[in-house]
Short mmCIF file of all heavy atoms in Angstrom, two decimals:
data_model
loop_
_atom_site.label_atom_id
_atom_site.label_comp_id
_atom_site.label_asym_id
_atom_site.label_seq_id
_atom_site.Cartn_x
_atom_site.Cartn_y
_atom_site.Cartn_z
N MET A 529 20.42 37.17 12.77
CA MET A 529 21.81 37.51 12.57
C MET A 529 21.94 38.54 11.48
O MET A 529 21.27 38.48 10.47
CB MET A 529 22.59 36.22 12.21
CG MET A 529 24.03 36.47 12.01
SD MET A 529 24.89 34.92 11.75
CE MET A 529 25.40 35.15 10.10
N ILE A 530 22.80 39.50 11.70
CA ILE A 530 23.02 40.58 10.74
C ILE A 530 24.51 40.60 10.38
O ILE A 530 25.37 40.64 11.25
CB ILE A 530 22.66 41.94 11.29
CG1 ILE A 530 21.16 42.00 11.63
CG2 ILE A 530 22.99 43.05 10.30
CD1 ILE A 530 20.74 43.30 12.27
N GLU A 531 24.79 40.55 9.09
CA GLU A 531 26.15 40.76 8.60
C GLU A 531 26.10 42.04 7.78
O GLU A 531 25.25 42.19 6.89
CB GLU A 531 26.59 39.61 7.73
CG GLU A 531 26.75 38.29 8.47
CD GLU A 531 27.12 37.18 7.52
OE1 GLU A 531 27.69 37.45 6.44
OE2 GLU A 531 26.83 36.02 7.87
N SER A 532 27.01 42.95 8.06
CA SER A 532 27.03 44.19 7.29
C SER A 532 28.46 44.52 6.87
O SER A 532 29.44 44.18 7.56
CB SER A 532 26.45 45.36 8.08
OG SER A 532 27.24 45.61 9.25
N ASP A 533 28.57 45.11 5.70
CA ASP A 533 29.84 45.54 5.17
C ASP A 533 29.63 46.98 4.70
O ASP A 533 28.83 47.27 3.83
CB ASP A 533 30.25 44.64 4.02
CG ASP A 533 31.59 45.01 3.44
OD1 ASP A 533 32.52 45.34 4.23
OD2 ASP A 533 31.75 45.01 2.21
N ILE A 534 30.36 47.91 5.33
CA ILE A 534 30.25 49.32 4.97
C ILE A 534 31.63 49.81 4.57
O ILE A 534 32.59 49.70 5.33
CB ILE A 534 29.71 50.13 6.18
CG1 ILE A 534 28.37 49.57 6.62
CG2 ILE A 534 29.59 51.60 5.83
CD1 ILE A 534 27.86 50.07 7.98
N VAL A 535 31.69 50.31 3.35
CA VAL A 535 32.96 50.79 2.82
C VAL A 535 32.80 52.13 2.15
O VAL A 535 31.75 52.48 1.66
CB VAL A 535 33.58 49.78 1.81
CG1 VAL A 535 33.93 48.48 2.48
CG2 VAL A 535 32.65 49.52 0.66
N LYS A 536 33.88 52.88 2.12
CA LYS A 536 33.91 54.17 1.45
C LYS A 536 34.38 53.95 0.01
O LYS A 536 35.45 53.39 -0.21
CB LYS A 536 34.84 55.13 2.20
CG LYS A 536 35.01 56.48 1.57
CD LYS A 536 33.86 57.39 1.88
CE LYS A 536 34.13 58.77 1.38
NZ LYS A 536 33.32 59.80 1.97
N ASP A 537 33.59 54.35 -0.97
CA ASP A 537 34.00 54.29 -2.37
C ASP A 537 34.66 55.63 -2.69
O ASP A 537 34.01 56.65 -2.84
CB ASP A 537 32.76 54.07 -3.26
CG ASP A 537 33.13 53.86 -4.73
OD1 ASP A 537 34.08 54.55 -5.21
OD2 ASP A 537 32.48 53.03 -5.37
N LYS A 538 35.98 55.57 -2.78
CA LYS A 538 36.73 56.79 -2.98
C LYS A 538 36.53 57.39 -4.36
O LYS A 538 36.56 58.59 -4.53
CB LYS A 538 38.23 56.55 -2.73
CG LYS A 538 38.51 56.20 -1.31
CD LYS A 538 39.99 55.91 -1.07
CE LYS A 538 40.16 55.55 0.40
NZ LYS A 538 41.55 55.21 0.72
N GLY A 539 36.27 56.53 -5.35
CA GLY A 539 36.01 57.04 -6.72
C GLY A 539 34.74 57.83 -6.80
O GLY A 539 34.64 58.85 -7.49
N LEU A 540 33.68 57.38 -6.11
CA LEU A 540 32.40 58.08 -6.13
C LEU A 540 32.24 59.03 -4.96
O LEU A 540 31.25 59.78 -4.88
CB LEU A 540 31.26 57.05 -6.10
CG LEU A 540 31.15 56.13 -7.33
CD1 LEU A 540 30.08 55.09 -7.13
CD2 LEU A 540 30.89 56.92 -8.61
N ASN A 541 33.13 58.93 -3.97
CA ASN A 541 33.09 59.73 -2.78
C ASN A 541 31.75 59.56 -2.04
O ASN A 541 31.05 60.52 -1.70
CB ASN A 541 33.35 61.23 -3.04
CG ASN A 541 33.62 61.99 -1.75
OD1 ASN A 541 34.12 61.42 -0.81
ND2 ASN A 541 33.29 63.25 -1.74
N CYS A 542 31.36 58.29 -1.87
CA CYS A 542 30.13 57.98 -1.11
C CYS A 542 30.33 56.66 -0.40
O CYS A 542 31.30 55.94 -0.61
CB CYS A 542 28.93 57.93 -2.04
SG CYS A 542 29.05 56.67 -3.33
N TRP A 543 29.40 56.35 0.48
CA TRP A 543 29.45 55.14 1.27
C TRP A 543 28.60 54.06 0.61
O TRP A 543 27.54 54.33 0.06
CB TRP A 543 28.95 55.38 2.69
CG TRP A 543 29.87 56.24 3.48
CD1 TRP A 543 29.85 57.57 3.61
CD2 TRP A 543 30.99 55.76 4.23
NE1 TRP A 543 30.90 57.98 4.41
CE2 TRP A 543 31.60 56.87 4.83
CE3 TRP A 543 31.52 54.51 4.48
CZ2 TRP A 543 32.73 56.81 5.62
CZ3 TRP A 543 32.65 54.40 5.29
CH2 TRP A 543 33.25 55.53 5.85
N LYS A 544 29.06 52.82 0.69
CA LYS A 544 28.29 51.66 0.18
C LYS A 544 28.09 50.67 1.32
O LYS A 544 29.04 50.29 1.98
CB LYS A 544 29.07 50.99 -0.95
CG LYS A 544 28.41 49.75 -1.48
CD LYS A 544 29.25 49.09 -2.56
CE LYS A 544 28.63 47.77 -3.03
NZ LYS A 544 29.52 47.09 -3.97
N ALA A 545 26.84 50.30 1.55
CA ALA A 545 26.53 49.33 2.62
C ALA A 545 25.88 48.12 1.99
O ALA A 545 24.98 48.24 1.15
CB ALA A 545 25.61 49.97 3.63
N THR A 546 26.32 46.94 2.40
CA THR A 546 25.73 45.67 2.03
C THR A 546 25.27 44.99 3.30
O THR A 546 26.04 44.91 4.26
CB THR A 546 26.74 44.78 1.25
OG1 THR A 546 27.22 45.50 0.14
CG2 THR A 546 26.09 43.52 0.79
N LEU A 547 24.02 44.54 3.30
CA LEU A 547 23.43 44.01 4.51
C LEU A 547 22.83 42.66 4.24
O LEU A 547 22.10 42.46 3.25
CB LEU A 547 22.33 44.98 4.99
CG LEU A 547 21.64 44.70 6.30
CD1 LEU A 547 22.63 44.83 7.46
CD2 LEU A 547 20.51 45.68 6.49
N LYS A 548 23.18 41.66 5.07
CA LYS A 548 22.57 40.32 4.99
C LYS A 548 21.92 40.04 6.31
O LYS A 548 22.56 40.10 7.35
CB LYS A 548 23.67 39.30 4.68
CG LYS A 548 23.16 37.90 4.58
CD LYS A 548 24.32 36.94 4.24
CE LYS A 548 23.85 35.52 4.11
NZ LYS A 548 24.94 34.59 3.82
N ILE A 549 20.61 39.74 6.27
CA ILE A 549 19.84 39.53 7.48
C ILE A 549 19.25 38.13 7.47
O ILE A 549 18.60 37.74 6.51
CB ILE A 549 18.69 40.55 7.59
CG1 ILE A 549 19.18 41.97 7.49
CG2 ILE A 549 17.94 40.37 8.90
CD1 ILE A 549 18.07 42.97 7.35
N LYS A 550 19.47 37.38 8.53
CA LYS A 550 18.82 36.11 8.72
C LYS A 550 17.87 36.27 9.90
O LYS A 550 18.29 36.45 11.03
CB LYS A 550 19.85 35.02 8.99
CG LYS A 550 20.76 34.71 7.81
CD LYS A 550 21.72 33.59 8.14
CE LYS A 550 22.65 33.36 6.97
NZ LYS A 550 23.62 32.30 7.27
N LEU A 551 16.59 36.22 9.59
CA LEU A 551 15.57 36.43 10.60
C LEU A 551 14.87 35.12 10.93
O LEU A 551 14.72 34.25 10.05
CB LEU A 551 14.51 37.42 10.14
CG LEU A 551 14.99 38.87 9.85
CD1 LEU A 551 13.85 39.64 9.23
CD2 LEU A 551 15.45 39.51 11.11
N PRO A 552 14.38 35.01 12.16
CA PRO A 552 13.52 33.88 12.46
C PRO A 552 12.20 34.10 11.73
O PRO A 552 11.94 35.21 11.23
CB PRO A 552 13.32 33.96 13.98
CG PRO A 552 13.65 35.38 14.33
CD PRO A 552 14.63 35.87 13.30
N PRO A 553 11.37 33.08 11.64
CA PRO A 553 10.07 33.27 10.97
C PRO A 553 9.27 34.42 11.60
O PRO A 553 9.28 34.59 12.81
CB PRO A 553 9.35 31.94 11.18
CG PRO A 553 10.44 30.97 11.43
CD PRO A 553 11.52 31.72 12.14
N ILE A 554 8.62 35.18 10.76
CA ILE A 554 7.76 36.27 11.22
C ILE A 554 6.32 35.90 10.86
O ILE A 554 6.02 35.66 9.70
CB ILE A 554 8.12 37.61 10.54
CG1 ILE A 554 9.56 38.00 10.93
CG2 ILE A 554 7.12 38.70 10.93
CD1 ILE A 554 10.09 39.21 10.17
N ILE A 555 5.47 35.84 11.84
CA ILE A 555 4.10 35.50 11.59
C ILE A 555 3.21 36.72 11.96
O ILE A 555 3.29 37.24 13.07
CB ILE A 555 3.64 34.28 12.47
CG1 ILE A 555 4.49 33.09 12.08
CG2 ILE A 555 2.16 34.02 12.27
CD1 ILE A 555 4.31 31.88 12.99
N VAL A 556 2.44 37.16 10.99
CA VAL A 556 1.56 38.32 11.19
C VAL A 556 0.15 37.88 10.80
O VAL A 556 -0.05 37.32 9.74
CB VAL A 556 1.99 39.51 10.30
CG1 VAL A 556 1.01 40.66 10.42
CG2 VAL A 556 3.42 39.96 10.64
N THR A 557 -0.78 38.15 11.66
CA THR A 557 -2.19 37.83 11.38
C THR A 557 -2.97 39.13 11.42
O THR A 557 -2.88 39.89 12.38
CB THR A 557 -2.76 36.84 12.40
OG1 THR A 557 -1.96 35.66 12.43
CG2 THR A 557 -4.18 36.48 12.09
N LYS A 558 -3.71 39.39 10.37
CA LYS A 558 -4.52 40.60 10.29
C LYS A 558 -5.93 40.24 9.86
O LYS A 558 -6.13 39.23 9.17
CB LYS A 558 -3.96 41.57 9.27
CG LYS A 558 -2.64 42.20 9.64
CD LYS A 558 -2.84 43.17 10.80
CE LYS A 558 -1.62 43.96 11.06
NZ LYS A 558 -1.85 45.01 12.03
N VAL A 559 -6.88 41.01 10.26
CA VAL A 559 -8.27 40.84 9.87
C VAL A 559 -8.75 42.15 9.26
O VAL A 559 -8.50 43.22 9.77
CB VAL A 559 -9.14 40.49 11.12
CG1 VAL A 559 -10.61 40.38 10.73
CG2 VAL A 559 -8.65 39.21 11.78
N ALA A 560 -9.41 42.04 8.09
CA ALA A 560 -9.92 43.23 7.42
C ALA A 560 -11.22 42.85 6.69
O ALA A 560 -11.41 41.70 6.27
CB ALA A 560 -8.91 43.75 6.43
N SER A 561 -12.08 43.80 6.58
CA SER A 561 -13.35 43.55 5.89
C SER A 561 -13.16 43.49 4.38
O SER A 561 -13.95 42.88 3.69
CB SER A 561 -14.39 44.63 6.26
OG SER A 561 -13.92 45.89 5.88
N GLU A 562 -12.11 44.10 3.87
CA GLU A 562 -11.83 44.14 2.43
C GLU A 562 -10.50 43.41 2.18
O GLU A 562 -9.50 43.73 2.82
CB GLU A 562 -11.74 45.54 1.89
CG GLU A 562 -13.04 46.34 2.00
CD GLU A 562 -14.10 45.80 1.03
OE1 GLU A 562 -13.72 45.33 -0.05
OE2 GLU A 562 -15.29 45.86 1.37
N LYS A 563 -10.49 42.51 1.22
CA LYS A 563 -9.28 41.76 0.91
C LYS A 563 -8.11 42.66 0.49
O LYS A 563 -6.97 42.42 0.86
CB LYS A 563 -9.57 40.72 -0.19
CG LYS A 563 -8.43 39.80 -0.48
CD LYS A 563 -8.82 38.75 -1.51
CE LYS A 563 -7.67 37.86 -1.84
NZ LYS A 563 -8.04 36.86 -2.84
N ARG A 564 -8.41 43.69 -0.31
CA ARG A 564 -7.34 44.58 -0.77
C ARG A 564 -6.64 45.32 0.36
O ARG A 564 -5.52 45.76 0.20
CB ARG A 564 -7.92 45.57 -1.79
CG ARG A 564 -8.90 46.56 -1.23
CD ARG A 564 -9.39 47.52 -2.29
NE ARG A 564 -10.40 48.40 -1.73
CZ ARG A 564 -11.69 48.27 -1.92
NH1 ARG A 564 -12.15 47.30 -2.68
NH2 ARG A 564 -12.55 49.10 -1.36
N ASP A 565 -7.29 45.46 1.50
CA ASP A 565 -6.69 46.16 2.63
C ASP A 565 -5.67 45.28 3.35
O ASP A 565 -4.81 45.75 4.08
CB ASP A 565 -7.74 46.59 3.66
CG ASP A 565 -8.68 47.64 3.06
OD1 ASP A 565 -8.27 48.35 2.13
OD2 ASP A 565 -9.84 47.75 3.54
N LEU A 566 -5.78 43.97 3.18
CA LEU A 566 -4.87 43.05 3.88
C LEU A 566 -3.42 43.21 3.43
O LEU A 566 -2.50 43.22 4.26
CB LEU A 566 -5.29 41.58 3.67
CG LEU A 566 -6.51 41.14 4.50
CD1 LEU A 566 -6.90 39.75 4.09
CD2 LEU A 566 -6.23 41.22 5.97
N HIS A 567 -3.18 43.34 2.14
CA HIS A 567 -1.79 43.46 1.65
C HIS A 567 -1.12 44.67 2.27
O HIS A 567 0.00 44.57 2.78
CB HIS A 567 -1.81 43.58 0.11
CG HIS A 567 -0.44 43.70 -0.44
ND1 HIS A 567 0.20 44.90 -0.64
CD2 HIS A 567 0.46 42.74 -0.81
CE1 HIS A 567 1.42 44.69 -1.12
NE2 HIS A 567 1.59 43.39 -1.25
N ARG A 568 -1.76 45.79 2.24
CA ARG A 568 -1.16 47.03 2.79
C ARG A 568 -0.93 46.86 4.31
O ARG A 568 0.14 47.23 4.84
CB ARG A 568 -2.10 48.21 2.55
CG ARG A 568 -1.51 49.53 2.95
CD ARG A 568 -2.42 50.72 2.62
NE ARG A 568 -3.09 50.58 1.32
CZ ARG A 568 -4.42 50.59 1.17
NH1 ARG A 568 -5.20 50.72 2.20
NH2 ARG A 568 -4.97 50.42 -0.03
N SER A 569 -1.89 46.27 5.00
CA SER A 569 -1.77 46.13 6.44
C SER A 569 -0.66 45.15 6.84
O SER A 569 0.13 45.41 7.72
CB SER A 569 -3.15 45.61 6.97
OG SER A 569 -3.10 45.46 8.36
N ILE A 570 -0.61 44.00 6.14
CA ILE A 570 0.43 43.02 6.45
C ILE A 570 1.80 43.55 6.09
O ILE A 570 2.76 43.39 6.85
CB ILE A 570 0.13 41.64 5.75
CG1 ILE A 570 -1.07 41.02 6.40
CG2 ILE A 570 1.35 40.74 5.76
CD1 ILE A 570 -1.55 39.72 5.77
N THR A 571 1.93 44.19 4.93
CA THR A 571 3.19 44.74 4.52
C THR A 571 3.69 45.78 5.51
O THR A 571 4.86 45.79 5.88
CB THR A 571 3.06 45.39 3.12
OG1 THR A 571 2.62 44.39 2.19
CG2 THR A 571 4.36 46.01 2.65
N ARG A 572 2.83 46.64 5.96
CA ARG A 572 3.21 47.67 6.94
C ARG A 572 3.69 47.02 8.24
O ARG A 572 4.70 47.45 8.81
CB ARG A 572 2.01 48.61 7.22
CG ARG A 572 2.38 49.79 8.09
CD ARG A 572 1.22 50.73 8.33
NE ARG A 572 0.43 51.00 7.16
CZ ARG A 572 -0.90 50.71 7.04
NH1 ARG A 572 -1.53 50.15 8.04
NH2 ARG A 572 -1.55 51.00 5.95
N GLU A 573 3.01 46.02 8.70
CA GLU A 573 3.36 45.35 9.96
C GLU A 573 4.71 44.66 9.86
O GLU A 573 5.56 44.80 10.75
CB GLU A 573 2.28 44.32 10.32
CG GLU A 573 2.44 43.75 11.71
CD GLU A 573 2.17 44.71 12.81
OE1 GLU A 573 1.38 45.67 12.61
OE2 GLU A 573 2.79 44.55 13.88
N VAL A 574 4.97 43.96 8.76
CA VAL A 574 6.26 43.30 8.57
C VAL A 574 7.37 44.33 8.46
O VAL A 574 8.44 44.18 9.04
CB VAL A 574 6.23 42.37 7.35
CG1 VAL A 574 7.63 41.86 7.03
CG2 VAL A 574 5.28 41.21 7.59
N ASN A 575 7.14 45.40 7.74
CA ASN A 575 8.14 46.50 7.64
C ASN A 575 8.48 47.06 9.01
O ASN A 575 9.64 47.31 9.32
CB ASN A 575 7.64 47.61 6.73
CG ASN A 575 7.74 47.26 5.27
OD1 ASN A 575 8.48 46.40 4.87
ND2 ASN A 575 6.90 47.91 4.45
N ASP A 576 7.46 47.27 9.83
CA ASP A 576 7.68 47.80 11.17
C ASP A 576 8.52 46.84 12.02
O ASP A 576 9.41 47.24 12.76
CB ASP A 576 6.34 48.08 11.88
CG ASP A 576 5.63 49.27 11.29
OD1 ASP A 576 6.22 50.04 10.51
OD2 ASP A 576 4.41 49.43 11.63
N ILE A 577 8.23 45.54 11.93
CA ILE A 577 8.95 44.53 12.70
C ILE A 577 10.43 44.49 12.29
O ILE A 577 11.34 44.52 13.13
CB ILE A 577 8.30 43.14 12.56
CG1 ILE A 577 6.95 43.12 13.24
CG2 ILE A 577 9.22 42.06 13.12
CD1 ILE A 577 6.09 41.92 12.89
N VAL A 578 10.67 44.46 10.99
CA VAL A 578 12.05 44.41 10.48
C VAL A 578 12.79 45.69 10.83
O VAL A 578 13.95 45.67 11.24
CB VAL A 578 12.07 44.12 8.96
CG1 VAL A 578 13.47 44.25 8.43
CG2 VAL A 578 11.52 42.73 8.68
N SER A 579 12.13 46.83 10.70
CA SER A 579 12.78 48.12 11.03
C SER A 579 13.16 48.16 12.51
O SER A 579 14.27 48.61 12.84
CB SER A 579 11.83 49.30 10.72
OG SER A 579 11.68 49.43 9.36
N GLU A 580 12.29 47.70 13.37
CA GLU A 580 12.59 47.68 14.81
C GLU A 580 13.76 46.74 15.11
O GLU A 580 14.65 47.06 15.91
CB GLU A 580 11.35 47.27 15.60
CG GLU A 580 11.57 47.39 17.08
CD GLU A 580 10.29 47.16 17.87
OE1 GLU A 580 9.22 47.53 17.39
OE2 GLU A 580 10.38 46.60 18.95
N TYR A 581 13.77 45.58 14.44
CA TYR A 581 14.85 44.64 14.62
C TYR A 581 16.20 45.25 14.23
O TYR A 581 17.18 45.16 14.92
CB TYR A 581 14.59 43.37 13.80
CG TYR A 581 15.68 42.33 13.86
CD1 TYR A 581 15.74 41.46 14.96
CD2 TYR A 581 16.65 42.25 12.91
CE1 TYR A 581 16.76 40.51 15.04
CE2 TYR A 581 17.68 41.33 12.98
CZ TYR A 581 17.72 40.47 14.04
OH TYR A 581 18.74 39.52 14.13
N LEU A 582 16.21 45.95 13.09
CA LEU A 582 17.41 46.61 12.60
C LEU A 582 17.88 47.69 13.58
O LEU A 582 19.06 47.86 13.84
CB LEU A 582 17.23 47.19 11.21
CG LEU A 582 17.17 46.17 10.10
CD1 LEU A 582 16.80 46.86 8.79
CD2 LEU A 582 18.49 45.42 9.96
N GLU A 583 16.92 48.49 14.09
CA GLU A 583 17.30 49.57 15.04
C GLU A 583 17.98 49.00 16.25
O GLU A 583 18.93 49.59 16.79
CB GLU A 583 16.04 50.32 15.43
CG GLU A 583 15.57 51.36 14.42
CD GLU A 583 14.37 52.14 14.91
OE1 GLU A 583 14.26 52.33 16.16
OE2 GLU A 583 13.57 52.56 14.10
N LYS A 584 17.52 47.85 16.71
CA LYS A 584 18.04 47.27 17.94
C LYS A 584 19.34 46.50 17.74
O LYS A 584 20.11 46.32 18.65
CB LYS A 584 17.02 46.38 18.60
CG LYS A 584 15.84 47.13 19.18
CD LYS A 584 14.85 46.19 19.80
CE LYS A 584 13.70 46.98 20.40
NZ LYS A 584 12.72 46.10 21.04
N ASN A 585 19.56 46.01 16.53
CA ASN A 585 20.68 45.08 16.31
C ASN A 585 21.73 45.53 15.31
O ASN A 585 22.81 44.92 15.28
CB ASN A 585 20.13 43.72 15.85
CG ASN A 585 19.31 43.07 16.88
OD1 ASN A 585 19.80 42.56 17.88
ND2 ASN A 585 17.97 43.11 16.72
N LEU A 586 21.49 46.54 14.53
CA LEU A 586 22.47 46.97 13.54
C LEU A 586 23.33 48.08 14.07
O LEU A 586 22.81 49.10 14.57
CB LEU A 586 21.78 47.45 12.26
CG LEU A 586 22.66 47.92 11.11
CD1 LEU A 586 23.57 46.78 10.64
CD2 LEU A 586 21.79 48.42 9.98
N GLU A 587 24.63 47.88 14.02
CA GLU A 587 25.52 48.89 14.46
C GLU A 587 26.27 49.47 13.24
O GLU A 587 27.00 48.74 12.58
CB GLU A 587 26.51 48.32 15.47
CG GLU A 587 25.86 47.87 16.75
CD GLU A 587 26.86 47.29 17.74
OE1 GLU A 587 28.06 47.57 17.60
OE2 GLU A 587 26.41 46.58 18.62
N ILE A 588 26.04 50.74 12.95
CA ILE A 588 26.75 51.38 11.86
C ILE A 588 27.67 52.43 12.42
O ILE A 588 27.33 53.19 13.28
CB ILE A 588 25.75 52.03 10.85
CG1 ILE A 588 24.97 50.93 10.17
CG2 ILE A 588 26.48 52.87 9.85
CD1 ILE A 588 23.96 51.42 9.14
#
């Protein structure tokens, strides 16, 4: 579920967006030969999943 509030700040002459996202659990499994590579790989995968979810469900 996505709740968004988008308002025009007339004093600053810019837009302000507040976004609240309730996502189902996201499970990502990665395998890497080096432990330090896992953080980057898992972070990238979760970012991609959330970005795709927003593209499909957020209406601005």
Side-chain angles (χ1 to χ4, degrees):
M529 180 173 114
I530 299 176
E531 294 177 24
S532 62
D533 182 40
I534 302 168
V535 294
K536 178 80 173 198
D537 186 320
K538 295 179 182 177
L540 296 174
N541 194 29
C542 60
W543 290 93
K544 176 183 175 185
T546 303
L547 186 65
K548 180 178 180 180
I549 306 170
K550 292 182 183 179
L551 297 173
I554 298 172
I555 299 171
V556 176
T557 303
K558 292 290 189 172
V559 177
S561 60
E562 296 291 327
K563 186 177 178 181
R564 65 178 177 259
D565 296 335
L566 284 175
H567 181 270
R568 186 177 321 121
S569 180
I570 288 175
T571 300
R572 186 178 318 120
E573 189 69 28
V574 171
N575 284 338
D576 290 347
I577 292 167
V578 172
S579 291
E580 186 172 325
Y581 179 82
L582 288 173
E583 281 183 30
K584 291 181 179 180
N585 294 286
L586 180 62
E587 295 179 19
I588 293 182

